[in-house]
Amino acid sequence: MAEKTNEEQLAYFEQLGVVPLVTLHSVEEAVPLAKALEEGGVPVAEVTFRSPYAIEGMKRIRDEVPGVTLVAGTVHTVEQAKASVEAGCKGLVTPAFTRSVVDYALENDILILPGTAVPSDVDDAYQLGLRYVKFFPAEAYGGVKTLKALNGPFAEMKFLPTGGVNLKNAEEYISLKNVFAVGGSFPVPSAAQKAHDWAAIAQACKDARALVEPIIASKSK
């Protein structure tokens, strides 16, 4: 099967509406967790560098659960970016607008969703030709209200709000025309992950999809 282009990958995320944030507690949980995401209808894993098991976990998911699209999260350095791509990641997500990582991604035609929080970050991305970015930390930086305000001067930009997004407010976020998907750990509940309750994670993903799917469908009409 042909690799998705960056544009096709973004369209896929937009179709799903949810990008689960995954912080691995061990290498061994990578595969069953990824299978739970797939079973729950959200076959995407933003595996973060908040854990020392990130790279090895990415490799295991790449090799054993190929139906799950891998994205690297909390990428701070070019070295982490390179290692992620080698481990099978199809995109990079940074917590801040880290110019070295953004430049590396653009130079190598790798999907990049840089972190933005204020207008200057968004404009930095815009000037480089990027139209899809992360908005983090979403709730701490004004959430839905800020995203509505950003739509005025940055009408071409689309955001992935992460940070404080959950099942209670996801509907409000995904309803915004400048939000292409919501990100966060809510499809992977901490208690379920610690208990290795993969069925509960699959159900959480189904709940997230059930919430966003009708809104996405209405936005595409």
Side-chain angles (χ1 to χ4, degrees), residues 138-200:
E139 281 290 283
Y141 270 77
V144 168
K145 188 175 180 180
T146 297
L147 285 167
K148 286 179 177 178
L150 287 171
N151 190 59
F154 298 107
E156 295 174 65
M157 301 298 287
K158 291 199 173 184
F159 297 89
L160 172 72
T162 308
V165 180
N166 52 52
L167 273 180
K168 292 180 180 178
N169 60 20
E171 185 174 4
E172 197 174 4
Y173 276 105
I174 199 68
S175 297
L176 298 176
K177 62 182 178 181
N178 61 343
V179 167
F180 71 94
V182 291
S185 56
F186 65 95
V188 186
S190 178
Q193 184 178 353
K194 287 178 181 176
H196 291 180
D197 189 346
W198 312 125

Side-chain angles (χ1 to χ4, degrees), residues 2-93:
E3 289 278 320
K4 288 186 176 75
T5 64
N6 291 344
E7 290 74 20
E8 288 169 338
Q9 198 67 70
L10 287 166
Y12 179 59
F13 293 157
E14 201 154 8
Q15 175 191 342
L16 287 176
V18 179
V19 177
L21 206 68
V22 174
T23 300
L24 296 172
H25 301 151
S26 70
V27 173
E28 289 70 29
E29 71 181 16
V31 168
L33 200 160
K35 287 180 177 177
L37 297 179
E38 192 170 44
E39 182 186 339
V42 191
V44 175
E46 181 187 327
V47 180
T48 78
F49 276 98
R50 298 179 186 184
S51 144
Y53 311 109
I55 291 296
E56 190 57 39
M58 292 170 187
K59 291 177 181 177
R60 292 204 184 182
I61 294 170
R62 175 197 65 194
D63 295 341
E64 299 185 46
V65 200
V68 169
T69 300
L70 277 171
V71 179
T74 322
V75 179
H76 289 287
T77 67
V78 172
E79 289 71 26
Q80 288 176 331
K82 289 179 178 178
S84 303
V85 173
E86 290 170 4
C89 287
K90 306 303 181 186
L92 308 170
V93 183

Side-chain angles (χ1 to χ4, degrees), residues 72-76 92-98 101-102 112-116 134:
T74 322
V75 179
H76 289 287
L92 308 170
V93 183
T94 61
F97 194 86
T98 308
V101 176
V102 172
I112 177 74
L113 293 169
T116 63
K134 177 179 180 174

